[in-house]
Every structure is written in structure tokens, then in C-alpha cells.
Amino acid sequence: MLKINFLILCGLICFLSSHAHRFNVDIKLQPPFVIIQAFFFAGQPVSNALVTVYSADDGSNVYQSGRTDKAGYFVFIPDKQGDWYLLVDDEKGHRRRTNILIDDVFFVQGDEEVDFINDTDDEEDVDPVYIHKPVEKEIPIYYRMIFGLALIFGLTGILYGIKVRQSLKK
Amino acid sequence: MHISDGIISLPVSVAANAVSLGLIWLSGRKTGADEIPGMGMTGAALFVVSLIHFPVAGYSIHLGLFGLAGITLGRRAFPVIFTVILFQTLIFQHGGLLAIGINAINMGAGAYAAWMIWQIKHLNEALRAIAAGFAGVFVPASFMAVEFRISGYGSGIFLLLSIYLIAAVIEAGISFTAVKFFRRVKPEILPG
């Protein structure tokens, strides 16, 4: 029975650790731009964080690097489709690595509707924005809190039981 | 205060995990059955309190209560802190999996410092509580700042310490209030 419980616990740990990240990064694809916003657990933007973008075909080469602005935003223009990844680092011990899938639709839209910052005449022609949906589904914070508390109390109960049993044997 | 993976070098992280396991054995051996419920309750409090975030100077910090854990649990605080950090890493993604050891050492040092301060009997209890609460945050922050400095990482030791100085003051107040409350309601929680 203990072995089964241990295996279940290991399985849960592996499942949860595969979802690992520290602060959140929202990614918006607005061709030809990729807009990211980094924000802390409580929703506060991560300003002045170091962002390093790695190219799709060569993950070891830095494509672009820079810093998020006051509102936690960083923008770059990818030059090819593929699986890009970026590293956001607040330089205070917190890092988040995230992948961005740039598909062919991105470049079709980018070619058709090149947006210029000062181009305010044609206000009706707004670029379509589609939000990058992460593969993992977030587990609500309160569920995770209850799960953690259940683990702590469960572990306490198991240890208490073992200790009481040991003292009874003596 | 939870360091992510990749900041501290791999050999140091592995060594820190080994040291942590040793400290768990040293701090947790001969734990009596009567001590375990208190450890579990403190662990639960530490786990939940990490969800209380507040903004400080464009940054987000959360409570830790390592000082209070040091006061109430003494050397038993380390295994509790390690377990809580492990669950926080796995469930809330606070910090990296490889960095659990170094995080536990940093925060455990805060609890040990608080415990040592609490042992200074000739000082006023309120003063000890405030100092222990303060040390519970500031000692780990100092450890972390030094580690970052050695690793050549981060935006500056003084910026980091100034952020955590505010958190330490807040925790000193919480520690003082909690000790006062325990003394009045259930004094046996407070050793010595």
C-alpha cells in the first residue's frame, strides 16, 4: 500500500513539475510583431526584466535581447517560422523560459497588413490579434493550495503514525 | 527569494542539495511524535503565507515566516522549510527544482538565526521576537545576495537587500504580534 501511495505521489510530482514556471508570460502575436508581457504571480508587471530571444532553427544563437518596459512589455519581429523560445529574467533570482510557435499564417498576415506606428489614417483597418495559447492548462491557484495543504497534512499524519507506532513497539 | 534553476552553477546546486539532506537528517533525528503536529501546522502556515504577495519598489515579494518557524520549532524548522520549499516549487513553481537545496539552506539559515536570537534569554521577549522575525528574512536575503554576487548574476546586491529590508521589517512586526498572541493564548507554543 505504501509503495502504491509513493508511486501516486511520484506521478503527481512529475505531472506538476512539467508545468514549471515562476512568473507568467503572456504572448500576443500581432503580425509582424510578437508582443510579450511578463507579470508576477499577483499580476504586477515585471519591469526592466532581461529578455533573450532564441531563433527557431538555432536555439543556441541569440536572435535579440533587451528589457521589458515599465508595464512588462517586450516586442520583437521574428524572421522565420518555427518554434522560437525566449528567456525572461528579472535578475533577482526568477526566470521563465517559454516557447512560441510561429506558423505560416503569421507571415501571411504580416505581409498583408504591415502596420506603421504613425499610420493613423486608416483606423478601421485593425490588425487581427490572436493570442498564443500555451499547451498546458493552468490549475487554479486555490486548487493547488488545497492540494499542497493536503500533501503537508497527509505527510504529517503518516510521520505521526510511524512515530507513535515506533514508541508503542518500545 | 526562491532562486530559479540555471542561476547557481550545477555543481553548487548539487552540493547544496546534498548539504540540505544532511541538515534534514541532523535537524530531524530523534523527533518525538508530540513534535510532529506542530511541525505540520507550521509547514502549512509557511506554505499558505507564500501566497500573500505585495509590491515593493516595482518588485513582488511574499511573506515567508521563517523567523516565526525558527522561534516555535528551533532546529526542527529546517526539515519543515525544506518540505515546504519542495511543495512550493512543485505546486506554485516558486524557484527551480535543482535549486531546492540552495533555497532551503538560505531560508533555513534565517530560521536558525531566529532560533539563536530567541535563545538570548536576557533580552526582552518583544525585542527577541522582532529581531528573530527580521533575521528570518534578512539573513536569507543576505545569503542570496552573496550567492548572486559570487555567481556574477543580478542587478546588484544593494538593490536586492533594500527590497528585502522592507519585507524583513514587515515580518518583524508579524513575528512580534504572533509571539504576543501565543504568549497570551497558548504559551506552550513558545519554547523557553
Side-chain angles (χ1 to χ4, degrees), chain A residues 39-148:
Chain A
F39 53 92
F40 286 112
F41 200 65
Q44 193 194 353
V46 185
S47 55
N48 204 35
L50 187 65
V51 183
T52 314
V53 182
Y54 294 89
S55 182
D57 56 351
D58 187 0
S60 59
N61 271 357
V62 176
Y63 176 76
Q64 187 180 328
S65 64
R67 290 187 181 274
T68 55
D69 65 9
K70 198 180 175 184
Y73 283 103
F74 176 85
V75 180
F76 74 97
I77 303 172
D79 61 352
K80 57 173 82 89
Q81 54 177 293
D83 204 8
W84 291 65
Y85 83 87
L86 56 89
L87 191 70
V88 186
D89 188 332
D90 73 350
E91 295 189 297
K92 292 175 191 76
H94 305 126
R95 275 182 179 175
R96 168 86 197 265
R97 186 184 152 144
T98 192
N99 284 44
I100 308 165
L101 182 66
I102 304 291
D103 54 19
D104 51 347
V105 182
F106 180 89
F107 288 101
V108 170
Q109 289 191 351
D111 289 343
E112 284 174 356
E113 301 175 45
V114 178
D115 191 18
F116 295 98
I117 294 166
N118 295 326
D119 184 13
T120 51
D121 297 337
D122 191 6
E123 288 183 355
E124 287 173 9
D125 191 15
V126 179
D127 277 347
V129 176
Y130 57 101
I131 297 165
H132 172 75
K133 287 176 185 166
V135 178
E136 76 256 39
K137 197 180 173 187
E138 284 283 321
I139 303 167
I141 187 78
Y142 296 108
Y143 289 8
R144 288 192 273 172
M145 189 184 77
I146 291 165
F147 176 65

Side-chain angles (χ1 to χ4, degrees), chain A residues 13 16 20-22 40-41 44 89-95 141 144-145 147-149 152-153 155-156 160 163, chain B residues 2-4 6-7 31 33 36 40 44 47-48 51 53 55 58-60 87 90-93 148 153-155:
Chain A
I13 285 168
L16 285 163
H21 58 81
R22 173 55 180 85
F40 286 112
F41 200 65
Q44 193 194 353
D89 188 332
D90 73 350
E91 295 189 297
K92 292 175 191 76
H94 305 126
R95 275 182 179 175
I141 187 78
R144 288 192 273 172
M145 189 184 77
F147 176 65
L149 284 176
I152 289 169
F153 287 132
L155 191 65
T156 306
Y160 185 72
K163 282 287 172 187
Chain B
H2 297 71
I3 300 173
S4 299
I7 292 166
T31 304
I36 290 173
F47 181 77
V48 173
L51 293 175
H53 286 68
Y59 188 61
S60 177
F87 289 154
L90 296 172
I91 297 168
F92 297 130
Q93 290 77 46
F148 286 176
Y153 166 85
S155 50

Side-chain angles (χ1 to χ4, degrees), chain A residues 28-39:
Chain A
K28 287 180 184 176
L29 305 180
Q30 185 172 353
F33 307 108
V34 174
I35 305 161
I36 74 143
Q37 191 194 16
F39 53 92

